[in-house]
Amino acid sequence: DKLTLAQAANCLCHTGFSSRFRSQAQGLVRAIEQSWTKTEDLSPLRVVEVVDALETFTSWGMKTPPLLDRLDAMLVERQVELKYTGNVSLWVLATQAFAKVEYTDARWPFVALDLARDKLFLEKVSFFQQSALIASLAKLQLFDETAYRNIAELLISDAGLFRDMQDFAPVLWAYASVGYYHKQIFDIAYDRTLQWFEAETVDLTKRDTAAALVQVAWSFAVAGYHRQYESFSAFLDYSFWGN
């Protein structure tokens, strides 16, 4: 309670969840969360500080509706400032934060979905931020065909940046979970994965890789690839028997 609003915001900028941090860090974040919940006026916070706070609170799994709602309202109110800030990724990071705790009552993600309808604006963020955005929107159960198509087309234009199964998995899951099967991005992922199988570069001893493969196989099954291609059996072989 002795920290000023600016001092607390600065602390939150450096105390996102990390296995390196001990319980003291979590305790500090929790104390700030409780303090801000009781603070009547949070308007002096800058937009970047609001996003930093959301990222840190949600990284620790904190989901206090009154505070999240107030921070959410500030982002919506200052959406023009957020859109044209020097940090072009802030609007995506804010969306990711709400998705992290599946806070579907937030209003900001609806603004982000609308921003994604503008392809010229969307391409200002990086390939990996575009991937994170589509996964976050799907996790929040939000869908707009134009936005999803824009993201798919931009990801396809840089498809060489899909380095492994973990890169493909959340993107394919996002499209499959909302029932929008963008054929080109699914085909690229399907062919690339088969190439990895043939080259025997899929290391299923790594837990993250194994989990990603199951997610990828599920996405292709939902999209109907098991009915279209005999080669789909390779996904089942790898997913359940590792060969």
Side-chain angles (χ1 to χ4, degrees):
D1 291 339
K2 296 180 180 179
L3 294 175
T4 66
L5 201 59
Q7 289 172 333
N10 187 53
C11 286
L12 292 177
C13 182
H14 302 286
T15 48
F17 174 80
S18 170
S19 58
R20 295 180 291 107
F21 290 153
R22 298 180 182 276
S23 58
Q24 288 90 336
Q26 183 180 16
L28 173 61
V29 174
R30 178 69 70 184
I32 294 174
E33 179 199 38
Q34 294 172 348
S35 175
W36 282 16
T37 299
K38 300 174 185 176
T39 301
E40 292 185 7
D41 185 15
L42 296 175
S43 61
L45 289 172
R46 296 175 294 127
V47 164
V48 65
E49 292 173 330
V50 174
V51 175
D52 283 342
L54 279 170
E55 285 193 285
T56 296
F57 290 144
T58 58
S59 74
W60 289 99
M62 298 177 188
K63 188 180 178 180
T64 305
L67 180 57
L68 288 187
D69 288 342
R70 292 173 66 191
L71 296 176
D72 176 40
M74 291 174 69
L75 293 181
V76 174
E77 181 182 349
R78 302 183 191 176
Q79 60 184 273
V80 174
E81 180 185 351
L82 189 55
K83 181 177 180 180
Y84 295 106
T85 183
N87 186 342
V88 297
S89 66
L90 282 182
W91 67 284
V92 176
L93 295 175
T95 309
Q96 282 183 267
F98 287 117
K100 197 175 299 177
V101 292
E102 299 183 37
Y103 197 67
T104 55
D105 290 334
R107 292 186 296 150
W108 170 257
F110 288 91
V111 178
L113 186 67
D114 190 55
L115 291 176
R117 290 173 55 84
D118 182 347
K119 195 172 183 180
L120 291 177
F121 180 74
L122 180 62
E123 67 181 1
K124 293 179 181 179
V125 299
S126 73
F127 170 89
F128 294 103
Q129 288 165 344
Q130 292 161 3
S131 296
L133 176 63
I134 194 66
S136 297
L137 292 174
K139 195 171 185 179
L140 290 166
Q141 303 170 31
L142 296 178
F143 174 74
D144 176 88
E145 184 173 355
T146 299
Y148 273 60
R149 183 176 61 250
N150 284 345
I151 296 173
E153 290 175 353
L154 289 173
L155 292 176
I156 289 167
S157 69
D158 285 322
L161 295 177
F162 283 114
R163 301 162 300 186
D164 52 36
M165 201 75 67
Q166 292 95 312
D167 288 341
F168 270 127
V171 173
L172 295 180
W173 172 86
Y175 283 96
S177 67
V178 299
Y180 182 67
Y181 313 117
H182 192 284
K183 182 169 176 53
Q184 192 174 357
I185 198 166
F186 270 77
D187 282 351
I188 288 173
Y190 190 84
D191 291 343
R192 186 77 58 80
T193 304
L194 287 179
Q195 290 171 7
W196 290 334
F197 288 164
E198 291 173 1
E200 299 184 351
T201 58
V202 179
D203 185 359
L204 294 181
T205 62
K206 296 180 178 178
R207 184 176 300 179
D208 290 347
T209 301
L213 176 57
V214 171
Q215 194 173 40
V216 166
W218 175 86
S219 300
F220 284 128
V222 171
Y225 277 62
H226 62 299
R227 294 190 299 268
Q228 300 176 47
Y229 304 104
E230 291 184 6
S231 56
F232 183 78
S233 60
F235 285 84
L236 300 181
D237 290 341
Y238 262 88
S239 297
F240 297 105
W241 293 284
N243 56 55

